[in-house]
Amino acid sequence: MSSSASPLVTRFAPSPTGHLHIGGARSALFCWAFAKKNGGRFMLRIEDTDAARSSLESARGIIEDLHWLGIVNDLGPFIAADGSVGQHDWEASSGHPPVGEYFQAKRVPIYNKYLEQLVKSGRAYPAFESNEEIDAQRKVAVAAKQTYRYPRPSEIEFGKFNAALEARWKRAQAGERHVMRFAAPNEEIVVHDEVLGDVKYAPGEMDDFVIRKADGFPIYHFAVVIDDETMGVTHVMRAQEHLNNTPRHVALQKALGFRTPSYAHMPLIVNMDNSKMSKRDKAKFARKAAKDAIAKDKAITATSLSASTGQDEKLIAQFLSADNDSLEIAQALAKHFKVPLPEIEVWDFRQNGYLPEAITNFVSLLGWNPGLKTPDGKDLEKFDMQFLASHFGIDRIGKTSSKFDRAKLLAFNADAINALPDEIFVSRWRTWCEEFEPEFAKAVGPSADRWLVLARAVKPRAKTLRDGVKSSAFLVRPDSATDFDPAAAEKNLLASDRAGLKLLRTIRDRFDSVTDAEWTPELLHSLIEQAGQQAGTGMGPVSQAIRIAIAGAAVSPPLGETLAVLGKRSALVRIDACLAEFGSAS
RNA sequence: GGCCCCGUCGUCUAGCCUGGUCUAGGACACCACCCUUUCACGGUGGGGACAUGGGUUCGAAUCCCAUCGGGGUCACCA
């Protein structure tokens, strides 16, 4: 085997501060696909150097989200069957030394080693200003409409470990609080980007940015450069928001004597209103819902909301005035006002009944396109992970940002659901229900047959797995718990001198005369048809009356199947309850 | 504001590199009709875009420039 040839390596390097963002999912997908297409490896690395915001639970969550999508990494952490965090590393035969740690927080000694190298070569220096001092200076600059650039101390000589630097180094070694800054080169930097082409940055654009924080953790730019080098990353593919970081990385690589990997910056994914898709959107959305409600009803206050949601009143007040974007409060308010929060993270989509294959397919089309036609001449846009792994290429990544069109995703999801054979659909639907709609799953019960019948009735019109629950929940709730839609009842039962109720009474007696053995979709259908003929109305009005009685609404799966699933007893109880509710036809 | 990126239907995009086959194609959404026991599905049809202005050229969505517009980024976050 060609163990000596340096293999192609891409990486996805999330920071574990929450669930996997849908944009992150696309980045990971493209990195994965590019590696697969080129016989390379896809690496996962966890960027947890922000000690305050990072958590191991988030890292686990992200790894699981990726796994659920079918994006499996060849290198870096994974979740083992027993739930522990394992790790794939370079094997001895690969020719690449093992990386050891894929969590940045555990690599601090490595960063420090390179940092010292930089200091000793006069390319990094300790700086002792406090955060507050810098902030104050920055504010002055911003107020004067100037771009703030940290002024390099005059005693620091670029590229020289002089006495002044040595003195600073000693102070730092002695424990004085400091940050480490990179002595940026005063030269033009050209980023060769595989998507955008050459992007030039003039000399002097870059200031002496911080590369190690006072807490001893490296800044992103520094850790990334060292990790990409030492982990063997050859191709960096990330979102365009990182483009302006790249010159820093290139400068750092040069100062450290590293190679520069190949870069490809992908277009951003934005909301329909052009704003950046972010986790904060949930807070914005919940805040708007709350404010709308308050505008309508002055009685709603932070105090009343605190009472009804159980959240802290102060935090709610802050939330409402946009002083915080607490996800917890956003969720509590959304639940209280019964508004759905926008799906932003992979987990949100999963929870709401999206299929991973629909998500990966849809998201892969955001900024990329296979450029192929289907046999009937249309643009090819439905494909699976295997297809991506064999057709993906950077050359077909676009430059323009893409709006995230939920309607199209929903259409893709509906198609993906309908493409599933019934047996597969029922098992996936059931598994999903057990996780996300446990009460519904419990109400359906253990019978595989019952699940299958239900699944068949539900699948053709379900755009999400949750839709399947919504459209069939009426079937599994107690017969006495029907919640009649007043408008639908008026139209289909009471209108035209209670015509619907009369039809309902007639069909009720016909149903009553059917034996349990005869209670099949076919027979029921023909009974309804006959009743419609005899009434001279066709089967429509009869059907609608039955729908109101058994579902409470004017919409349901086809009645034959629906009634069959329900069973004769329940059907009659519901019809009788309905007749009682609206008064029997006189 | 400085720097950087981008600009084809409402949206995702094909076409652009290698000008003519583009009266600009597809998908989602929308509208109409058909199918239909409801809702979906499906079928047929329809409206809908080359940001603007200058060049270059016999000819420009395609090449060049300007303008306008949108976005990103300017942290001891990543």
Side-chain angles (χ1 to χ4, degrees), chain A residues 218-238:
Chain A
I219 272 297
Y220 162 75
H221 309 296
F222 191 56
V224 160
V225 162
I226 290 169
D227 288 346
D228 285 344
E229 171 73 13
T230 58
M231 294 180 177
V233 173
T234 61
H235 293 254
V236 175
M237 300 172 67
R238 49 168 41 156

Side-chain angles (χ1 to χ4, degrees), chain A residues 114-364:
Chain A
Y114 286 104
L115 188 88
E116 182 166 356
Q117 177 190 323
L118 238 32
V119 171
K120 293 288 165 65
S121 60
R123 292 303 305 276
Y125 58 89
F128 301 96
E129 296 87 353
S130 71
N131 202 172
E132 292 70 32
E133 282 174 77
I134 299 289
D135 274 352
Q137 290 176 24
R138 203 192 322 273
K139 266 187 190 150
V140 171
V142 169
K145 296 211 166 191
Q146 301 281 308
T147 303
Y148 175 77
R149 287 194 175 81
Y150 177 83
R152 181 179 303 163
S154 53
E155 73 212 57
I156 299 293
E157 286 181 83
F158 182 83
K160 286 211 177 82
F161 187 67
N162 62 15
L165 213 197
E166 188 170 4
R168 282 175 175 247
W169 178 243
K170 281 192 174 141
R171 280 168 69 189
Q173 295 288 85
E176 190 173 340
R177 190 175 172 83
H178 68 285
V179 298
M180 283 288 180
R181 287 183 181 269
F182 176 60
N186 188 232
E187 64 190 20
E188 181 186 70
I189 294 181
V190 181
V191 173
H192 304 288
D193 188 275
E194 296 297 323
V195 173
L196 268 9
D198 284 359
V199 182
K200 293 174 183 167
Y201 295 87
E205 281 296 318
M206 194 187 303
D207 74 346
D208 288 358
F209 57 95
V210 172
I211 55 178
R212 191 178 73 185
K213 298 177 255 184
D215 66 6
F217 281 108
I219 272 297
Y220 162 75
H221 309 296
F222 191 56
V224 160
V225 162
I226 290 169
D227 288 346
D228 285 344
E229 171 73 13
T230 58
M231 294 180 177
V233 173
T234 61
H235 293 254
V236 175
M237 300 172 67
R238 49 168 41 156
Q240 237 175 65
E241 65 195 78
H242 285 293
L243 179 63
N244 292 328
N245 291 150
T246 313
R248 294 200 182 102
H249 302 173
V250 172
L252 240 14
Q253 284 150 2
K254 212 172 157 191
L256 255 2
F258 293 168
R259 77 209 141 75
T260 291
S262 168
Y263 285 105
H265 287 91
M266 330 177 223
L268 254 20
I269 299 176
V270 299
N271 289 313
M272 291 304 274
D273 67 357
N274 261 331
S275 62
K276 195 170 153 182
M277 238 182 132
S278 88
K279 301 177 183 182
R280 290 214 177 129
D281 292 347
K282 291 186 192 175
K284 279 191 212 158
F285 200 88
R287 182 146 49 228
K288 187 176 180 308
K291 290 202 158 172
D292 288 351
I294 290 170
K296 272 189 204 151
D297 180 356
K298 297 278 189 265
I300 301 174
T301 62
T303 315
S304 77
L305 288 173
S306 174
S308 46
T309 62
Q311 295 291 323
D312 182 77
E313 182 181 336
K314 254 189 193 162
L315 288 177
I316 289 183
Q318 282 176 7
F319 183 87
L320 291 175
S321 56
D323 287 336
N324 78 50
D325 286 331
S326 161
L327 186 57
E328 199 184 328
I329 289 179
Q331 280 164 344
L333 291 179
K335 195 176 166 197
H336 177 68
F337 291 116
K338 296 192 168 63
V339 293
L341 253 23
E343 298 117 340
I344 303 290
E345 287 143 336
V346 169
W347 178 255
D348 301 329
F349 291 101
R350 180 175 176 183
Q351 232 178 339
N352 286 342
Y354 285 84
L355 264 28
E357 59 265 46
I359 295 175
T360 50
N361 187 179
F362 174 72
V363 124
S364 72

Side-chain angles (χ1 to χ4, degrees), chain A residues 411-444:
Chain A
F412 269 50
N413 203 57
D415 288 348
I417 284 178
N418 271 291
L420 255 26
D422 286 351
E423 321 80 69
I424 306 287
F425 172 75
V426 70
S427 95
R428 290 177 66 170
W429 185 51
R430 184 174 179 176
T431 304
W432 181 88
C433 287
E434 279 160 357
E435 184 170 5
F436 298 105
E437 291 282 357
E439 284 183 21
F440 175 81
K442 211 176 143 198
V444 176

Side-chain angles (χ1 to χ4, degrees), chain A residues 474-497:
Chain A
F474 75 92
L475 283 169
V476 299
R477 73 181 162 223
D479 293 328
S480 56
T482 303
D483 186 14
F484 298 101
D485 174 348
E490 171 63 35
K491 183 179 174 199
N492 297 295
L493 255 26
L494 303 177
S496 307
D497 196 22

Side-chain angles (χ1 to χ4, degrees), chain A residues 44 49 54 100 146 153 218 288 402 472-473 488 524 542 564 567 576:
Chain A
L44 182 63
T49 54
S54 300
Q146 301 281 308
K288 187 176 180 308
S402 329
S472 60
L524 292 163
V542 184
D576 288 340

